[in-house]
Amino acid sequence: MTAQIELVGATDDTAVDVADETVDKLLDDGIAPGDILLLTTGEQHPWAQHELSFGEDAYWRQLTDGNDVFCVSADALPRVTRRTVAVLAVNGGTDASAAEALPAALAKARQRLIVCGDPQRLRDLL
């Protein structure tokens, strides 16, 4: 079964903030933090940058533990397990990397993929 895809308009500069707001809404709707994956196509999410400062092992252990929203670069998707909802922040990166991130993120979402990005850019990529 393919996940439902939703688009939330954002620019490259606002995509991470819009993705964070989207995650907050999901949490408010009762989705468990461990059921949410937040992906970025450009610069790493600030949470991921912070967690990586404690080392790769501690960072990836949080994914395995599955107790919290996990933020990761779309480049690292092969290493990531599926979650109920994936939120993809198209916050930069090349068009090729963003185009590759879309089907890869969809494969990681069991029920919903929410893409936060420029609608025109996304249409051009698809």
Side-chain angles (χ1 to χ4, degrees), residues 7-49:
L7 174 62
V8 180
T11 65
D12 284 4
D13 292 336
T14 63
V16 170
D17 290 335
V18 171
D20 285 342
E21 292 167 10
T22 300
V23 167
D24 288 343
K25 288 177 189 168
L26 292 167
L27 295 170
D28 289 346
D29 289 344
I31 304 291
D35 288 336
I36 302 171
L37 184 64
L38 196 160
L39 311 156
T40 55
T41 61
E43 186 173 313
Q44 277 271 26
H45 189 281
W47 177 88
Q49 292 176 22

mmCIF file of all heavy atoms in Angstrom, residues 7-49:
data_model
loop_
_atom_site.group_PDB
_atom_site.id
_atom_site.type_symbol
_atom_site.label_atom_id
_atom_site.label_comp_id
_atom_site.label_asym_id
_atom_site.label_seq_id
_atom_site.Cartn_x
_atom_site.Cartn_y
_atom_site.Cartn_z
ATOM 1 N N LEU A 7 1.096 17.991 0.099
ATOM 2 C CA LEU A 7 2.067 19.051 -0.170
ATOM 3 C C LEU A 7 1.718 20.262 0.675
ATOM 4 O O LEU A 7 0.559 20.690 0.701
ATOM 5 C CB LEU A 7 2.060 19.425 -1.654
ATOM 6 C CG LEU A 7 2.923 20.617 -2.058
ATOM 7 C CD1 LEU A 7 4.388 20.347 -1.761
ATOM 8 C CD2 LEU A 7 2.727 20.946 -3.527
ATOM 9 N N VAL A 8 2.722 20.792 1.367
ATOM 10 C CA VAL A 8 2.579 22.025 2.124
ATOM 11 C C VAL A 8 3.557 23.018 1.513
ATOM 12 O O VAL A 8 4.763 22.754 1.465
ATOM 13 C CB VAL A 8 2.885 21.804 3.624
ATOM 14 C CG1 VAL A 8 2.738 23.109 4.385
ATOM 15 C CG2 VAL A 8 1.981 20.730 4.203
ATOM 16 N N GLY A 9 3.049 24.141 1.021
ATOM 17 C CA GLY A 9 3.888 25.119 0.348
ATOM 18 C C GLY A 9 4.913 25.758 1.275
ATOM 19 O O GLY A 9 4.608 26.095 2.419
ATOM 20 N N ALA A 10 6.133 25.882 0.776
ATOM 21 C CA ALA A 10 7.228 26.512 1.523
ATOM 22 C C ALA A 10 8.334 26.861 0.536
ATOM 23 O O ALA A 10 8.421 26.262 -0.536
ATOM 24 C CB ALA A 10 7.767 25.572 2.598
ATOM 25 N N THR A 11 9.176 27.787 0.916
ATOM 26 C CA THR A 11 10.368 28.083 0.124
ATOM 27 C C THR A 11 11.515 27.247 0.683
ATOM 28 O O THR A 11 11.394 26.658 1.758
ATOM 29 C CB THR A 11 10.753 29.573 0.224
ATOM 30 O OG1 THR A 11 11.128 29.855 1.578
ATOM 31 C CG2 THR A 11 9.593 30.480 -0.194
ATOM 32 N N ASP A 12 12.636 27.233 -0.030
ATOM 33 C CA ASP A 12 13.810 26.526 0.490
ATOM 34 C C ASP A 12 14.182 27.060 1.876
ATOM 35 O O ASP A 12 14.564 26.301 2.757
ATOM 36 C CB ASP A 12 15.008 26.683 -0.448
ATOM 37 C CG ASP A 12 14.909 25.809 -1.697
ATOM 38 O OD1 ASP A 12 13.879 25.138 -1.881
ATOM 39 O OD2 ASP A 12 15.879 25.806 -2.479
ATOM 40 N N ASP A 13 14.040 28.389 2.057
ATOM 41 C CA ASP A 13 14.420 29.015 3.324
ATOM 42 C C ASP A 13 13.446 28.723 4.461
ATOM 43 O O ASP A 13 13.841 28.747 5.629
ATOM 44 C CB ASP A 13 14.546 30.532 3.155
ATOM 45 C CG ASP A 13 15.723 30.928 2.275
ATOM 46 O OD1 ASP A 13 16.689 30.137 2.161
ATOM 47 O OD2 ASP A 13 15.674 32.034 1.707
ATOM 48 N N THR A 14 12.179 28.459 4.142
ATOM 49 C CA THR A 14 11.174 28.236 5.197
ATOM 50 C C THR A 14 10.785 26.764 5.349
ATOM 51 O O THR A 14 10.008 26.436 6.251
ATOM 52 C CB THR A 14 9.906 29.060 4.937
ATOM 53 O OG1 THR A 14 9.295 28.624 3.713
ATOM 54 C CG2 THR A 14 10.211 30.548 4.867
ATOM 55 N N ALA A 15 11.289 25.894 4.504
ATOM 56 C CA ALA A 15 10.846 24.489 4.491
ATOM 57 C C ALA A 15 11.049 23.790 5.838
ATOM 58 O O ALA A 15 10.180 23.033 6.277
ATOM 59 C CB ALA A 15 11.548 23.717 3.373
ATOM 60 N N VAL A 16 12.165 24.028 6.503
ATOM 61 C CA VAL A 16 12.411 23.358 7.786
ATOM 62 C C VAL A 16 11.434 23.872 8.843
ATOM 63 O O VAL A 16 10.873 23.082 9.617
ATOM 64 C CB VAL A 16 13.883 23.516 8.237
ATOM 65 C CG1 VAL A 16 14.077 23.039 9.666
ATOM 66 C CG2 VAL A 16 14.806 22.740 7.300
ATOM 67 N N ASP A 17 11.204 25.181 8.874
ATOM 68 C CA ASP A 17 10.242 25.732 9.839
ATOM 69 C C ASP A 17 8.840 25.197 9.573
ATOM 70 O O ASP A 17 8.116 24.844 10.508
ATOM 71 C CB ASP A 17 10.230 27.266 9.786
ATOM 72 C CG ASP A 17 11.505 27.880 10.335
ATOM 73 O OD1 ASP A 17 12.184 27.230 11.161
ATOM 74 O OD2 ASP A 17 11.821 29.024 9.945
ATOM 75 N N VAL A 18 8.454 25.135 8.307
ATOM 76 C CA VAL A 18 7.132 24.603 7.945
ATOM 77 C C VAL A 18 7.049 23.120 8.319
ATOM 78 O O VAL A 18 6.028 22.649 8.815
ATOM 79 C CB VAL A 18 6.837 24.848 6.446
ATOM 80 C CG1 VAL A 18 5.590 24.120 5.998
ATOM 81 C CG2 VAL A 18 6.713 26.352 6.179
ATOM 82 N N ALA A 19 8.126 22.384 8.099
ATOM 83 C CA ALA A 19 8.154 20.966 8.483
ATOM 84 C C ALA A 19 8.016 20.818 9.995
ATOM 85 O O ALA A 19 7.288 19.933 10.474
ATOM 86 C CB ALA A 19 9.438 20.313 7.991
ATOM 87 N N ASP A 20 8.697 21.675 10.758
ATOM 88 C CA ASP A 20 8.573 21.633 12.221
ATOM 89 C C ASP A 20 7.132 21.903 12.652
ATOM 90 O O ASP A 20 6.607 21.228 13.543
ATOM 91 C CB ASP A 20 9.514 22.650 12.876
ATOM 92 C CG ASP A 20 10.969 22.226 12.868
ATOM 93 O OD1 ASP A 20 11.252 21.024 12.670
ATOM 94 O OD2 ASP A 20 11.833 23.107 13.069
ATOM 95 N N GLU A 21 6.490 22.892 12.021
ATOM 96 C CA GLU A 21 5.092 23.189 12.332
ATOM 97 C C GLU A 21 4.196 21.999 11.976
ATOM 98 O O GLU A 21 3.260 21.674 12.710
ATOM 99 C CB GLU A 21 4.629 24.433 11.567
ATOM 100 C CG GLU A 21 5.295 25.720 12.033
ATOM 101 C CD GLU A 21 5.065 26.887 11.073
ATOM 102 O OE1 GLU A 21 4.236 26.768 10.136
ATOM 103 O OE2 GLU A 21 5.724 27.923 11.274
ATOM 104 N N THR A 22 4.503 21.338 10.873
ATOM 105 C CA THR A 22 3.744 20.163 10.450
ATOM 106 C C THR A 22 3.893 19.036 11.467
ATOM 107 O O THR A 22 2.916 18.384 11.826
ATOM 108 C CB THR A 22 4.217 19.713 9.047
ATOM 109 O OG1 THR A 22 3.987 20.790 8.126
ATOM 110 C CG2 THR A 22 3.485 18.475 8.585
ATOM 111 N N VAL A 23 5.113 18.825 11.943
ATOM 112 C CA VAL A 23 5.353 17.803 12.965
ATOM 113 C C VAL A 23 4.569 18.149 14.235
ATOM 114 O O VAL A 23 3.939 17.272 14.840
ATOM 115 C CB VAL A 23 6.860 17.642 13.256
ATOM 116 C CG1 VAL A 23 7.101 16.822 14.522
ATOM 117 C CG2 VAL A 23 7.561 17.008 12.069
ATOM 118 N N ASP A 24 4.567 19.419 14.634
ATOM 119 C CA ASP A 24 3.807 19.830 15.821
ATOM 120 C C ASP A 24 2.328 19.499 15.662
ATOM 121 O O ASP A 24 1.679 19.025 16.600
ATOM 122 C CB ASP A 24 3.981 21.325 16.089
ATOM 123 C CG ASP A 24 5.369 21.677 16.627
ATOM 124 O OD1 ASP A 24 6.094 20.763 17.094
ATOM 125 O OD2 ASP A 24 5.736 22.870 16.568
ATOM 126 N N LYS A 25 1.774 19.743 14.470
ATOM 127 C CA LYS A 25 0.364 19.434 14.213
ATOM 128 C C LYS A 25 0.112 17.926 14.292
ATOM 129 O O LYS A 25 -0.899 17.487 14.830
ATOM 130 C CB LYS A 25 -0.062 19.965 12.846
ATOM 131 C CG LYS A 25 -0.182 21.471 12.789
ATOM 132 C CD LYS A 25 -0.531 21.949 11.397
ATOM 133 C CE LYS A 25 -0.436 23.460 11.316
ATOM 134 N NZ LYS A 25 -0.500 23.944 9.931
ATOM 135 N N LEU A 26 1.039 17.139 13.746
ATOM 136 C CA LEU A 26 0.905 15.681 13.814
ATOM 137 C C LEU A 26 0.893 15.212 15.268
ATOM 138 O O LEU A 26 0.081 14.368 15.652
ATOM 139 C CB LEU A 26 2.041 15.000 13.040
ATOM 140 C CG LEU A 26 2.022 15.165 11.527
ATOM 141 C CD1 LEU A 26 3.359 14.729 10.933
ATOM 142 C CD2 LEU A 26 0.875 14.384 10.908
ATOM 143 N N LEU A 27 1.794 15.772 16.065
ATOM 144 C CA LEU A 27 1.852 15.410 17.483
ATOM 145 C C LEU A 27 0.557 15.814 18.188
ATOM 146 O O LEU A 27 0.014 15.051 18.990
ATOM 147 C CB LEU A 27 3.066 16.054 18.148
ATOM 148 C CG LEU A 27 4.431 15.577 17.648
ATOM 149 C CD1 LEU A 27 5.543 16.458 18.208
ATOM 150 C CD2 LEU A 27 4.669 14.119 17.995
ATOM 151 N N ASP A 28 0.046 17.017 17.866
ATOM 152 C CA ASP A 28 -1.218 17.486 18.443
ATOM 153 C C ASP A 28 -2.380 16.572 18.046
ATOM 154 O O ASP A 28 -3.338 16.423 18.802
ATOM 155 C CB ASP A 28 -1.533 18.918 18.002
ATOM 156 C CG ASP A 28 -0.610 19.957 18.646
ATOM 157 O OD1 ASP A 28 0.090 19.619 19.628
ATOM 158 O OD2 ASP A 28 -0.587 21.106 18.152
ATOM 159 N N ASP A 29 -2.281 15.973 16.851
ATOM 160 C CA ASP A 29 -3.328 15.061 16.366
ATOM 161 C C ASP A 29 -3.195 13.654 16.953
ATOM 162 O O ASP A 29 -3.963 12.759 16.606
ATOM 163 C CB ASP A 29 -3.294 14.972 14.836
ATOM 164 C CG ASP A 29 -3.790 16.244 14.159
ATOM 165 O OD1 ASP A 29 -4.433 17.082 14.834
ATOM 166 O OD2 ASP A 29 -3.539 16.397 12.946
ATOM 167 N N GLY A 30 -2.190 13.450 17.806
ATOM 168 C CA GLY A 30 -2.065 12.171 18.480
ATOM 169 C C GLY A 30 -1.104 11.184 17.852
ATOM 170 O O GLY A 30 -1.011 10.036 18.290
ATOM 171 N N ILE A 31 -0.373 11.608 16.826
ATOM 172 C CA ILE A 31 0.651 10.724 16.244
ATOM 173 C C ILE A 31 1.813 10.657 17.249
ATOM 174 O O ILE A 31 2.285 11.683 17.731
ATOM 175 C CB ILE A 31 1.157 11.254 14.882
ATOM 176 C CG1 ILE A 31 0.007 11.465 13.898
ATOM 177 C CG2 ILE A 31 2.230 10.346 14.305
ATOM 178 C CD1 ILE A 31 -0.648 10.218 13.411
ATOM 179 N N ALA A 32 2.276 9.470 17.558
ATOM 180 C CA ALA A 32 3.376 9.305 18.504
ATOM 181 C C ALA A 32 4.677 9.833 17.894
ATOM 182 O O ALA A 32 4.918 9.651 16.690
ATOM 183 C CB ALA A 32 3.533 7.834 18.869
ATOM 184 N N PRO A 33 5.515 10.474 18.712
ATOM 185 C CA PRO A 33 6.784 10.996 18.188
ATOM 186 C C PRO A 33 7.609 9.943 17.453
ATOM 187 O O PRO A 33 8.218 10.233 16.418
ATOM 188 C CB PRO A 33 7.515 11.496 19.440
ATOM 189 C CG PRO A 33 6.434 11.757 20.430
ATOM 190 C CD PRO A 33 5.348 10.753 20.134
ATOM 191 N N GLY A 34 7.624 8.718 17.951
ATOM 192 C CA GLY A 34 8.406 7.654 17.328
ATOM 193 C C GLY A 34 7.853 7.172 15.999
ATOM 194 O O GLY A 34 8.481 6.353 15.333
ATOM 195 N N ASP A 35 6.682 7.684 15.613
ATOM 196 C CA ASP A 35 6.077 7.327 14.327
ATOM 197 C C ASP A 35 6.376 8.349 13.237
ATOM 198 O O ASP A 35 5.851 8.247 12.130
ATOM 199 C CB ASP A 35 4.558 7.183 14.472
ATOM 200 C CG ASP A 35 4.168 5.931 15.235
ATOM 201 O OD1 ASP A 35 4.963 4.974 15.257
ATOM 202 O OD2 ASP A 35 3.062 5.918 15.804
ATOM 203 N N ILE A 36 7.189 9.375 13.555
ATOM 204 C CA ILE A 36 7.439 10.478 12.620
ATOM 205 C C ILE A 36 8.913 10.536 12.246
ATOM 206 O O ILE A 36 9.794 10.499 13.098
ATOM 207 C CB ILE A 36 7.002 11.823 13.225
ATOM 208 C CG1 ILE A 36 5.514 11.787 13.607
ATOM 209 C CG2 ILE A 36 7.289 12.969 12.255
ATOM 210 C CD1 ILE A 36 5.044 12.983 14.412
ATOM 211 N N LEU A 37 9.153 10.668 10.948
ATOM 212 C CA LEU A 37 10.488 10.839 10.387
ATOM 213 C C LEU A 37 10.506 12.191 9.686
ATOM 214 O O LEU A 37 9.605 12.489 8.898
ATOM 215 C CB LEU A 37 10.747 9.718 9.380
ATOM 216 C CG LEU A 37 12.097 9.618 8.711
ATOM 217 C CD1 LEU A 37 13.177 9.340 9.751
ATOM 218 C CD2 LEU A 37 12.069 8.505 7.670
ATOM 219 N N LEU A 38 11.490 13.034 9.989
ATOM 220 C CA LEU A 38 11.613 14.335 9.337
ATOM 221 C C LEU A 38 12.899 14.339 8.513
ATOM 222 O O LEU A 38 13.984 14.152 9.054
ATOM 223 C CB LEU A 38 11.628 15.462 10.379
ATOM 224 C CG LEU A 38 11.377 16.863 9.844
ATOM 225 C CD1 LEU A 38 10.942 17.792 10.973
ATOM 226 C CD2 LEU A 38 12.542 17.448 9.115
ATOM 227 N N LEU A 39 12.755 14.528 7.213
ATOM 228 C CA LEU A 39 13.879 14.455 6.275
ATOM 229 C C LEU A 39 14.169 15.824 5.686
ATOM 230 O O LEU A 39 13.247 16.614 5.472
ATOM 231 C CB LEU A 39 13.525 13.499 5.141
ATOM 232 C CG LEU A 39 12.965 12.155 5.573
ATOM 233 C CD1 LEU A 39 12.135 11.535 4.489
ATOM 234 C CD2 LEU A 39 14.095 11.255 5.967
ATOM 235 N N THR A 40 15.415 16.089 5.378
ATOM 236 C CA THR A 40 15.792 17.335 4.718
ATOM 237 C C THR A 40 16.607 17.024 3.468
ATOM 238 O O THR A 40 17.369 16.060 3.437
ATOM 239 C CB THR A 40 16.638 18.226 5.656
ATOM 240 O OG1 THR A 40 17.774 17.495 6.127
ATOM 241 C CG2 THR A 40 15.818 18.718 6.843
ATOM 242 N N THR A 41 16.435 17.868 2.440
ATOM 243 C CA THR A 41 17.199 17.684 1.199
ATOM 244 C C THR A 41 18.427 18.570 1.141
ATOM 245 O O THR A 41 19.343 18.304 0.375
ATOM 246 C CB THR A 41 16.333 17.994 -0.041
ATOM 247 O OG1 THR A 41 15.919 19.359 0.017
ATOM 248 C CG2 THR A 41 15.136 17.070 -0.119
ATOM 249 N N GLY A 42 18.429 19.637 1.934
ATOM 250 C CA GLY A 42 19.563 20.557 1.961
ATOM 251 C C GLY A 42 20.331 20.387 3.248
ATOM 252 O O GLY A 42 20.689 19.268 3.638
ATOM 253 N N GLU A 43 20.539 21.493 3.945
ATOM 254 C CA GLU A 43 21.256 21.459 5.216
ATOM 255 C C GLU A 43 20.510 20.592 6.227
ATOM 256 O O GLU A 43 19.282 20.565 6.243
ATOM 257 C CB GLU A 43 21.384 22.896 5.745
ATOM 258 C CG GLU A 43 22.231 23.012 6.978
ATOM 259 C CD GLU A 43 22.464 24.468 7.371
ATOM 260 O OE1 GLU A 43 22.811 25.272 6.491
ATOM 261 O OE2 GLU A 43 22.285 24.775 8.559
ATOM 262 N N GLN A 44 21.266 19.898 7.071
ATOM 263 C CA GLN A 44 20.680 19.056 8.120
ATOM 264 C C GLN A 44 19.757 19.893 9.009
ATOM 265 O O GLN A 44 20.013 21.067 9.257
ATOM 266 C CB GLN A 44 21.783 18.478 9.011
ATOM 267 C CG GLN A 44 22.436 17.255 8.467
ATOM 268 C CD GLN A 44 21.725 15.972 8.899
ATOM 269 O OE1 GLN A 44 20.544 15.946 9.188
ATOM 270 N NE2 GLN A 44 22.470 14.898 8.902
ATOM 271 N N HIS A 45 18.714 19.270 9.515
ATOM 272 C CA HIS A 45 17.828 19.897 10.491
ATOM 273 C C HIS A 45 18.665 20.281 11.716
ATOM 274 O O HIS A 45 19.576 19.531 12.100
ATOM 275 C CB HIS A 45 16.724 18.903 10.877
ATOM 276 C CG HIS A 45 15.650 19.500 11.703
ATOM 277 N ND1 HIS A 45 15.791 19.719 13.046
ATOM 278 C CD2 HIS A 45 14.407 19.945 11.372
ATOM 279 C CE1 HIS A 45 14.688 20.267 13.519
ATOM 280 N NE2 HIS A 45 13.828 20.416 12.524
ATOM 281 N N PRO A 46 18.380 21.425 12.356
ATOM 282 C CA PRO A 46 19.155 21.827 13.538
ATOM 283 C C PRO A 46 19.183 20.758 14.636
ATOM 284 O O PRO A 46 20.204 20.590 15.311
ATOM 285 C CB PRO A 46 18.445 23.093 14.020
ATOM 286 C CG PRO A 46 17.809 23.656 12.784
ATOM 287 C CD PRO A 46 17.425 22.455 11.953
ATOM 288 N N TRP A 47 18.087 20.023 14.819
ATOM 289 C CA TRP A 47 18.074 18.959 15.825
ATOM 290 C C TRP A 47 19.111 17.895 15.468
ATOM 291 O O TRP A 47 19.857 17.430 16.332
ATOM 292 C CB TRP A 47 16.680 18.328 15.928
ATOM 293 C CG TRP A 47 16.630 17.194 16.889
ATOM 294 C CD1 TRP A 47 16.381 17.258 18.234
ATOM 295 C CD2 TRP A 47 16.879 15.810 16.602
ATOM 296 N NE1 TRP A 47 16.457 16.000 18.792
ATOM 297 C CE2 TRP A 47 16.764 15.098 17.805
ATOM 298 C CE3 TRP A 47 17.193 15.106 15.439
ATOM 299 C CZ2 TRP A 47 16.939 13.724 17.888
ATOM 300 C CZ3 TRP A 47 17.370 13.744 15.525
ATOM 301 C CH2 TRP A 47 17.244 13.059 16.733
ATOM 302 N N ALA A 48 19.157 17.486 14.209
ATOM 303 C CA ALA A 48 20.123 16.468 13.780
ATOM 304 C C ALA A 48 21.547 16.974 13.971
ATOM 305 O O ALA A 48 22.417 16.230 14.438
ATOM 306 C CB ALA A 48 19.879 16.075 12.325
ATOM 307 N N GLN A 49 21.793 18.247 13.630
ATOM 308 C CA GLN A 49 23.126 18.817 13.827
ATOM 309 C C GLN A 49 23.518 18.747 15.298
ATOM 310 O O GLN A 49 24.644 18.361 15.633
ATOM 311 C CB GLN A 49 23.162 20.268 13.348
ATOM 312 C CG GLN A 49 23.012 20.428 11.858
ATOM 313 C CD GLN A 49 22.952 21.892 11.454
ATOM 314 O OE1 GLN A 49 23.401 22.781 12.163
ATOM 315 N NE2 GLN A 49 22.382 22.152 10.279
#
